[in-house]
């Protein structure tokens, strides 16, 4: 490797609002079969440790035949995805996809992503409990 070789590329985005609040990261295994989850996606965690995009309805069926019962799994906010992550399209896969999330910090409300059937605001109180804070950011267009 050369001393001044460019290894990666950084493209600034507006996900993080401020470095003034401690930013902690953690790993999680995302359930496969949900396609590409973008940086800034709010991740929720099931009791078994699997991660899902916030707003995704996850159910479990117990029993068989007429006595079968389907219930929604309780999910709790875990963090905000640090990078785009491809979970594939096959939900039958058994191995979770490794990913990293921000567990604390201040983030741009408009840059946080949830499932299309949900809103970021629905998760805001739960996010505050784990020290993820949302702020509104004024976007400025560069003039000519």
């Amino acid at each position: 490797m050369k001393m001044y070789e460019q290894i990666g590329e950084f493209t600034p985005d507006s996900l993080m609002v401020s470095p003034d609040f401690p930013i902690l990261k953690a790993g999680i295994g995302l359930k496969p079969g949900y396609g590409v989850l973008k940086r800034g996606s709010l991740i929720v965690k099931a009791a078994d440790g699997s991660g899902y995009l916030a707003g995704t309805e996850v159910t479990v069926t117990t029993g068989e035949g007429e006595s079968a019962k389907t219930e929604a799994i309780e999910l709790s906010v875990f963090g905000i995805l640090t990078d785009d992550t491809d979970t594939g399209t096959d939900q039958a896969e058994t191995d979770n996809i490794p990913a990293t999330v921000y567990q604390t910090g201040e983030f741009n409300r408009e840059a946080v992503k949830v499932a299309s059937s949900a809103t970021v605001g629905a998760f805001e109180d739960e996010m505050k409990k784990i020290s993820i804070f949302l702020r509104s950011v004024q976007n400025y267009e560069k003039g000519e």
Side-chain angles (χ1 to χ4, degrees):
M1 179 166 72
K2 297 178 184 172
M3 187 171 186
Y4 298 105
E5 179 180 7
Q6 180 176 342
I7 296 174
E9 184 177 313
F10 172 71
T11 305
D13 62 16
S14 60
L15 177 61
M16 299 181 119
V17 173
S18 170
D20 295 336
F21 190 87
I23 299 169
L24 302 176
K25 294 188 276 186
I28 190 166
L30 300 176
K31 266 307 204 200
Y34 292 95
V36 176
L37 298 180
K38 302 302 265 176
R39 170 179 159 81
S41 294
L42 182 60
I43 303 300
V44 292
K45 183 176 171 183
D48 69 357
S50 298
Y52 299 88
L53 176 64
T56 303
E57 187 173 327
V58 183
T59 59
V60 64
T61 302
T62 55
E64 295 179 11
E66 289 183 20
S67 64
K69 186 177 181 182
T70 301
E71 297 177 306
I73 294 176
E74 188 172 324
L75 302 167
S76 58
V77 169
F78 187 71
I80 294 175
L81 204 57
T82 62
D83 300 289
D84 293 354
T85 305
D86 188 354
T87 65
T89 56
D90 186 6
Q91 290 186 340
E93 276 290 320
T94 57
D95 293 337
N96 286 343
I97 311 301
T100 306
V101 297
Y102 298 113
Q103 286 197 299
T104 61
E106 291 181 282
F107 299 90
N108 178 359
R109 175 177 277 104
E110 299 300 319
V112 176
K113 298 163 185 61
V114 295
S116 60
S117 60
T119 64
V120 173
F123 298 94
E124 191 165 2
D125 287 342
E126 192 176 350
M127 293 167 71
K128 287 178 184 176
K129 291 177 185 176
I130 64 167
S131 296
I132 293 178
F133 301 100
L134 300 180
R135 304 287 183 250
S136 294
V137 175
Q138 174 68 45
N139 291 326
Y140 293 97
E141 298 289 326
K142 188 174 184 178
E144 291 185 40

